Amino acid sequence: MINATHRTDFRLEPRTDMSDTHAEPTRLAEAVVRFCGDSGDGMQLAGGQFADTSAIYGNDFATFPDFPAEIRAPRGTTFGVSGFQIHFSDHDIFTPGDAVQTLVAMNPAGFKTNIDDVESGGTVIVDEDEFTSTGLTKCGYPKDYNPLDDDAVIQKYRIIKVPISRLTRESLATSDLGAKAIDRCRNMYALGIVYWLYDRPLEPTIRFLERTFSERKKQPEIADLNIRALKAGYYFGETAELWQQRHRVVAAPQQAGTYRRISGNEAVVLGFVTAAHKAGKSLTYASYPITPASDIIHGLSRLKQFGVRTFQAEDEIAAVCAAIGASFAGDIGVTGTSGPGLALKGEALGLAVMMELPLVVVDVQRAGPSTGMPTKTEQADLFQAMYGRSGESPCIVLAPCTPSDCFTMAIEAVRLATAHMCPVILLSDAYIANGAEPWRVPDLGDIPSIDVQHPAADENANEFHPYDRINENLARPWAIPGTPGLEHRLGGLEKQAVTGSVSYDPDNHDAMLKLRADKVQRAAKSIPPVEVYGDQSGEMLVLGWGGTYGSLRTAVDQLRACGASVSLAHLRYLHPFPSNLGDVLKRFERVVVPEINLGQLSRVIRAEFLFDAVPINSARGRPLGVEMLVEEIAAIMNSGEVLA
């Protein structure tokens, strides 16, 4: 964490004065750097350290980790490429960037799969030791072809060939730890080069390595090895005559406070723990391992001291049923999964709807269908969250819009679930779950309490009615099993109103379906209205939801800077919609709905409001590109059609 009012200033190593052979760094407003290589090359560590250093330096930033789907893909193949992209700036930014200014490719496979994302004239630093005939053919390049010698590549990019593997070994030649340990330091050597290129301090990473290996793992020799490689890479950057210039991105203005780098999954963890604390309840989280949601149970399992119980179930059905049981017993019951797991939880979710329990389900969406692409992002599960259960089984559906917003919306999910006594589905996605940004740590006292009430014991009661309605939300009483006088049964068969007895009466069934639907719709009274960014009425409204916020906000800003009449409304509450959404839509001539799917929200908007929303869809397993959005929205505006 850092404090914006007392931010630590760091000195560059190995020295703070500029070499006579190098000019003062060129100041940039922003930059995009990507590290890529084999899954064993430590690209996530290198990129994460660059992000942490940028946070301490005071930059605003957004990251995009890109993991391979295969656990142990053959080394050097395109299937095993791991990448980490960071966009850092001296002003507010909302995306990890479209085009890459500097690419670090540790092998031919990383080069091949990432080079098309580098802007024309961009810098590409490669480990030329890996560009052997074997390495080139393994990733699919033709025999006797090396892209580093291709005139078209050389003319388009600034290729910097560095023998990173050899130089790492030479710089650590005095070590007794062996070649394998030395080769694992290549990522630190590459990181040192990029630190020099972008005028970054070394101290944060040095402290991280000392903390991780010397203090926690009691392996000071490993820490020393990595630190030496880091400094050697920095020295190489300073002394090599390979660079036309180096760059500096100064600190961004910040609101005073304590900050930390946070990912969406980390924010969900902290949000649930905070919500349980604010409700005065214990939290039970049950899940089955699934990418990209597994980090949530990993994070919560380390917080037992805060009344958190975690349970890794044998399958998705067992996980959701365990969470339902915890909720029935009076805990905050939560389960987490991704799209395939949400499908398996569908019947049990219907049970939670029938039992009217405050269950929370986190769906960290990934590309589908079926197993799909486990490590790639998609907004694939909106229909499933809204309709994907047998019968009429309405749930409240929420969607955070940024990594840090996952904290707020996790708390909101618990608040709405307990206030309305119904399941809530929280639709995160792989992009915001794994991506990170600076987060201003809130004051716990500023977060409102969550009012949870259980009926008191009544030993003189003749009969407890579990389906009585206790408030305007139509919530039923949340009675703790075993409370004297409140004995009751719940199950999956249709319930008679008030008494909760099994009922096959057709009129009662019709009434209970309408009541459960009405209960969910009443949540609209307790959710905030949707806000419009930009003009409150005009020619074009861009309507989005979930993790597309950063791309949409940036695209709208670019269009508005060109004089276009474009505004943005971004939904975090999807079922029910904010009560003012219909009025907002009517104030604009046209509405476009960009999504990372084939058009789910646009269809819901058409059905709900009879408004011909125009979809912009891309399902490539990646965040929406800003350049693509600007072109698509501009084309729709220039078409001249009034589609409302």
Side-chain angles (χ1 to χ4, degrees), residues 466-482:
Y467 281 83
D468 204 358
R469 302 298 151 182
I470 60 175
N471 56 34
E472 63 179 9
N473 294 337
L474 301 180
R476 74 167 186 84
W478 190 7
I480 304 297

Side-chain angles (χ1 to χ4, degrees), residues 334-379:
V334 185
T335 186
T337 189
S338 189
L342 186 62
L344 292 170
K345 295 180 190 291
E347 183 180 2
L349 258 172
L351 175 63
V353 170
M354 174 69 76
M355 296 172 69
E356 299 188 36
L357 287 171
L359 173 73
V360 177
V361 181
V362 184
D363 175 12
V364 186
Q365 300 168 95
R366 73 189 200 195
S370 188
T371 307
M373 297 194 294
T375 61
K376 310 305 178 185
T377 195
E378 199 162 282
Q379 294 180 300

